[in-house]
């Protein structure tokens, strides 16, 4: 692998994951995978999703956190949700201790910045030739850049260090003693509502047992350990598999039942 | 490969297929594939579908039959449609003559039990460490168990033989001489209705030619060999590619046209 | 690789892309990938899309153009959108300078014929044994044929040259001096409208700057280079990443905003 540390290239099979909001039916993702296999014939190109809601940077940012750190060292994660393609927004490479990330600098890596130490590089478009379209950087810049992480000795051969980056992560707000304003970060496939409050935050508050979340129609008391403790259809609060607090409906859809969505506020009370 | 027969590990590339009801957009499937590649860097990880209707065990069970036996020997088929995650439901490995299956014991392997001889093993959760979440066994138990089938000499190192298993398969019922109550097992992507009556069942009845299926608005006469025999829009009965009787609409959707769904009864009459 | 040129088989890993209208949830695509891996265990089997609208040959034909030529030499592109399965329609292999295409002869390769020199072969069904179903040629003929392109010395061992092929491509029509009737070829995932007028066509007309496209509610003036030149929500004409003229709405959906669809006519005026 390349990069500032001067480590020599790895011998194992390159792994590149791909997440986009392109859908698959136009063949655009197919083009990106062709470019990757043309440059790295032995790579494992792993589809994550191409059904991110069009232009929904927040959804992609959260989903990325769900998978990125389960991959072997030196995996490259390509994320192309890019409403600003063709504008001045930067194209970036983010390097954490074990992983690489490639995509537009529009906040899609917000959660990575919040959770890991990292170095950031701005990709030089001019390093990718004359054939760059203004509408499809996924194929013409991001995919070749992902491949070049494996092919070149130094990231600096096609990028330069950058420090100012776009991020949208906001931590929960303390309203008064024992009262906090949380926000819904993400609604997942099952309608579970993920909040900006983690198990680590809860530990910092000395693991309060007597807490409640305020909903339109009453309160949710306590934090459960598993869906199995709840009746079918019951709404409950529990930790998700990454340690975020979530509101879920056992075998049902909490988002539609409660009519809540990304950005909505939820009050947490200790008592 | 591991297992009771004491066969030594295979030299060919491991193949693991993955079917879930997770959707792709949250990155949960991405996490499972990361775990698989971390343990088996050379594996071919094959996406089957992540769009099984949430919690629809029957749909997954039927779809599994459509692909599993077309894979090379010693393929591992991972199926995670798991509404009971976090409850006492078992996690199992099913071993047929040539294939392995890994998933929850909730009926998702019903069709496999019905069609093939098999041995079953219950996975010991304790063999998968302290990090097991109560909400995401796909990542924390099923994916690592699938990999360990290739990595360990014996399935017994992380599972034990089990005999009592959940199954929902029901054969068709004889109502009177020449009258049978069939059931719709599955509605496929094209709206074809798959029935619990196979070509083998038909052969056991001495291949009757004069048969009819009773619909709301009349009868379907005979069993056709191909869609090509029908006019556009015509409804007909024919054998599907696995030998099940299906009701289909040529270049259209039989399920919506006839307003029929999984579980509905269809009467078959010989005359 | 096989074929008329007598070139010996390649040593690199075979790449086979797969595009269908099957959806994934029934396991039919899973079966095709099993057949491919059974015949070519080292192949990279690349999913393009399985969400082509059922029976929409035109959509598949256009999408194919978006990815096929970005793949390494000797990639085989399998396309199974096949409303005529079980009828007399031919199964074909198309060979261009660098790529192979396998699928039904129903127009799905229309754009390939229009853009590249090619040789065509009709697949002999009888070369694929007795087990061929009449409803699922994807699994029983097209997938094994794709694998046999890599496995056999000559395409003629299971196919024969053919010249008459189905195509639906129509070029734009000249209505009068400076007035042309274009047609919408394709509506993509973002609602962009792709027209049968290319940058090459525009160059042949001497690169006119003063042109306008007539819409229901007025005109679009000029051809833009990038989305970045437009306000959010603005409708504009620009070149897509393959050089086709498209009508797009910046960060929105042009098809629904303008209520236009595939086949609709758009007038282009030079002035």
């Amino acid at each position: 692998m390349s990069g500032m540390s001067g480590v020599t290239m790895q011998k194992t099979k390159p792994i590149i994951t791909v997440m986009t909001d392109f859908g698959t039916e136009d063949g655009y993702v197919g083009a990106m995978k062709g470019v990757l296999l043309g440059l790295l014939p032995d790579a494992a190109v792993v589809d994550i999703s191409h059904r991110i809601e069009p232009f929904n940077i927040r959804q992609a940012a959260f989903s990325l956190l769900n998978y990125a750190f389960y991959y072997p060292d030196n995996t490259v994660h390509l994320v192309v949700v890019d409403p600003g393609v063709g504008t001045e927004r930067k194209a970036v490479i983010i390097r954490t201790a074990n992983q690489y990330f490639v995509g537009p600098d529009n906040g899609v890596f917000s959660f990575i910045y919040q959770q890991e130490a990292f170095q950031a590089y701005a990709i030089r478009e001019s390093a990718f030739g004359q054939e760059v379209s203004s509408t499809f950087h996924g194929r013409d810049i991001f995919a070749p850049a992902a491949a070049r992480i494996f092919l070149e000795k130094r990231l600096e051969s096609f990028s330069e260090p950058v420090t100012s980056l776009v991020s949208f992560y906001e931590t929960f707000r303390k309203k008064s003693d024992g009262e906090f304003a949380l926000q819904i970060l993400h609604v997942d496939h099952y309608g579970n509502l993920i909040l900006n409050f983690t198990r680590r935050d809860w530990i910092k508050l000395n693991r309060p047992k007597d807490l409640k979340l305020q909903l339109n129609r009453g309160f949710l008391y306590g934090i459960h350990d598993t869906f199995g403790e709840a009746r079918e259809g019951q709404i409950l609060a529990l930790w998700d598999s990454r340690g975020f607090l979530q509101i879920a409906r056992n075998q049902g859809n909490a988002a539609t039942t409660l009519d809540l969505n990304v950005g909505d506020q939820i009050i947490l009370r200790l008592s």
Side-chain angles (χ1 to χ4, degrees), chain A residues 16 18-39 45-51 78 80 136 138-140 143-144:
Chain A
I16 300 175
V18 190
M19 177 166 63
T20 75
D21 64 346
F22 294 171
T24 57
E25 58 271 40
D26 295 305
Y28 298 145
V29 173
M32 288 175 61
K33 295 198 280 192
V35 168
L36 289 170
L37 290 170
L39 292 167
V45 177
V46 181
D47 289 303
I48 301 297
S49 184
H50 307 297
R51 301 188 67 75
L78 191 45
V80 190
F136 194 5
R139 180 192 65 198
D140 297 339

Side-chain angles (χ1 to χ4, degrees), chain A residues 10 12-18 33 36-37 40-47 71-72 74-76 150:
Chain A
Q10 62 176 19
T12 59
K13 184 174 67 170
I15 301 176
I16 300 175
T17 77
V18 190
K33 295 198 280 192
L36 289 170
L37 290 170
L40 292 172
D42 292 324
V45 177
V46 181
D47 289 303
Y71 277 79
N74 293 327
T75 295
V76 173
F150 294 99

Side-chain angles (χ1 to χ4, degrees), chain A residues 65-85:
Chain A
L65 203 59
N66 278 338
Y67 64 86
F69 299 106
Y70 292 97
Y71 277 79
D73 285 359
N74 293 327
T75 295
V76 173
H77 300 286
L78 191 45
V79 181
V80 190
V81 177
D82 192 14
V85 65

Side-chain angles (χ1 to χ4, degrees), chain A residues 26 53 55 63 72 77 110 118 148 198 203 206 233 261:
Chain A
D26 295 305
E53 195 187 351
F55 312 135
S63 297
H77 300 286
S110 294
F118 66 92
R148 284 169 74 166
T198 66
I203 290 169
N206 296 314
N261 217 325

Side-chain angles (χ1 to χ4, degrees), chain A residues 178-252:
Chain A
E179 188 173 344
F180 303 90
L182 318 186
Q183 212 187 19
I184 299 175
L185 290 176
H186 181 71
V187 177
D188 79 10
H189 183 66
Y190 294 95
N192 299 325
L193 309 167
I194 318 292
L195 304 171
N196 62 344
F197 185 83
T198 66
R199 201 180 172 94
R200 218 183 298 168
D201 295 326
W202 177 74
I203 290 169
K204 280 187 202 154
L205 295 175
N206 296 314
R207 302 168 188 261
K209 294 286 182 198
D210 288 341
L211 52 75
K212 57 190 178 186
L213 291 166
Q214 186 175 339
L215 303 178
N216 292 334
R217 300 181 243 167
F219 293 94
L220 288 183
Y221 291 91
I223 301 177
H224 292 248
D225 284 324
T226 146
F227 285 107
E229 299 168 14
R231 310 182 302 280
E232 189 171 330
Q234 189 185 332
I235 290 174
L236 68 163
L238 73 172
W239 301 114
D240 86 347
S241 59
R242 286 285 301 179
F244 285 86
L245 188 61
Q246 67 176 333
I247 298 174
R249 187 172 177 206
N250 190 25
Q251 300 189 38

Side-chain angles (χ1 to χ4, degrees), chain A residues 70-140:
Chain A
Y70 292 97
Y71 277 79
D73 285 359
N74 293 327
T75 295
V76 173
H77 300 286
L78 191 45
V79 181
V80 190
V81 177
D82 192 14
V85 65
T87 68
E88 292 294 301
R89 70 100 187 87
K90 288 193 283 285
V92 292
I93 299 171
I94 308 302
R95 185 184 184 179
T96 66
N98 302 315
Q99 309 280 301
Y100 291 79
F101 300 85
V102 179
D105 175 36
N106 59 16
V108 79
F109 301 126
S110 294
F111 288 101
I112 303 298
Y113 305 150
Q114 199 254 346
Q115 295 224 337
E116 300 271 326
F118 66 92
Q119 298 168 300
Y121 301 82
I123 295 169
R124 276 199 306 276
E125 288 194 19
S126 59
F128 292 86
Q130 311 289 2
E131 293 281 313
V132 173
S133 72
S134 55
T135 55
F136 194 5
H137 285 190
R139 180 192 65 198
D140 297 339

